[in-house]
Amino acid sequence: MSENEIDDNLDLRGVLCPINFVKTKLKLEEMQTGSILEVLLDKGDPMANVPRSVKEEGHKIIKVKKEDGDFFRVMIRKS
Amino acid sequence: MTLPKTIDLSAMKSGGLIKQKEKDFFAIRLRTPVGKISADHLNKIAEVSKKYGNGKLHLTVRQGIEIQGVTFDMIQTVRDELEEAGLRIGACGPRFRVATACPGAGICPNGLVDSAGLGLEVDETFFGRAEGLDLPHKFKVAIAGCTSCCPKPQENDFGYQGQIEPELIEADCDSCGVCEVTCKEGAIVMGENGLPIRDESKCIYCGDCIKSCPTDAWVSKRVGLAAFIGGRFGRHPELGKKLADFVPPEKALDLIRSVLEFYKKEGKTGERLGVTVNRIGLDEVKRRVL
């Protein structure tokens, strides 16, 4: 997936649970259905919790990529 | 002091009345299984406390409530008034105590089983001396909905903990690796073919892989209850031992009944179940109760 397809992004590295999820949720609420949000999440609790909560809210996680420096690039399609 | 005529001594024997240090004062322990209580009941308790007690309540470590400062002659009145509102008195002494549990799957995002629902069933079935129980000592049960074990099932004479066995639908996996970083036990590593490999010996059946999987490739193979036996706190604390894995929830009451029968037969008076289990040996206990 190219960078161009991302409609918005959030760098949530260093942001603790559940603030990282709340920020993701609020951002998704502003976005159009079908658009794509990219979030950067630390490994550990953020990666264990945020994708799961996003999934429970009904959105679709379309891509997860591990990056150097112990963080992940997660792409979410708003439902 | 003369006993009021209305007091039912046999009802007193069911427990839940705790003598206070001050002469003639009692604390009344309520039966609030799994710590779940309605706002209306809380209002009623507050009302009774102000009317017959000293306006002070104690929240117990077992999710209970005690109304303090009730004089001996008012116990029956308090009991009647509470019962009229649908509130019941708890237990003390060598009885099956009020069951504790976390809110469980209905409320908690981590919950794997309906621990609160099961706790209510357990309480309804065994509380006090139900089913003719005449136990050697107190018997406490706690039920946790997941592997976090918030209600501490291993610190109880008998405990259940929800567990879930994951299974991978390979076709649905897109090799993102979230499960590998999510698994706190290091039980999942990404294999050379891009698919996760689960090490059964490290897996504690928490279900984090299932919950975190973006593509729902990890699914539930089965949900059940891990059973712990013989835990206690007090003077000589000891954690409960694993009795069984994946007890089907519909068999949960049967296993408790089986353990109670064993304890009733083998436990010496004043002996907690853990001591009985240590004396007889876990393997023999398993043979007898499972």
Side-chain angles (χ1 to χ4, degrees), chain B residues 183-197:
Chain B
C183 179
K184 294 188 184 83
E185 309 305 318
I188 296 177
V189 290
M190 298 307 288
E192 284 175 6
N193 62 356
L195 292 173
I197 302 161

Side-chain angles (χ1 to χ4, degrees), chain A residues 18-33:
Chain A
I19 312 289
N20 43 19
F21 168 66
V22 173
K23 286 189 168 185
T24 305
K25 182 181 162 71
L26 292 175
K27 178 63 87 180
L28 283 165
E29 276 174 15
E30 300 172 353
M31 295 172 67
Q32 299 288 320
T33 299

Side-chain angles (χ1 to χ4, degrees), chain A residues 2-20:
Chain A
S2 71
E3 290 287 316
N4 298 339
E5 292 177 63
I6 296 162
D7 298 293
D8 214 333
N9 61 63
L10 275 179
D11 185 352
L12 297 171
R13 286 176 290 177
V15 181
L16 298 179
C17 302
I19 312 289
N20 43 19

Side-chain angles (χ1 to χ4, degrees), chain B residues 57-69:
Chain B
L57 301 156
H58 172 63
L59 299 181
T60 78
V61 296
R62 287 189 63 77
Q63 306 176 321
I65 298 173
E66 289 167 5
I67 301 171
Q68 297 180 332

Side-chain angles (χ1 to χ4, degrees), chain B residues 168-225:
Chain B
L168 184 71
I169 310 294
E170 294 186 357
D172 292 339
C173 177
D174 71 353
S175 307
C176 70
V178 170
C179 53
E180 185 185 32
V181 293
T182 299
C183 179
K184 294 188 184 83
E185 309 305 318
I188 296 177
V189 290
M190 298 307 288
E192 284 175 6
N193 62 356
L195 292 173
I197 302 161
R198 185 172 65 96
D199 182 344
E200 187 89 34
S201 69
K202 288 183 181 169
C203 182
I204 64 161
Y205 309 110
C206 67
D208 283 352
C209 50
I210 299 171
K211 286 185 170 170
S212 67
C213 180
T215 60
D216 294 328
W218 282 111
V219 296
S220 165
K221 190 176 176 187
R222 58 177 172 159
V223 173
L225 298 158

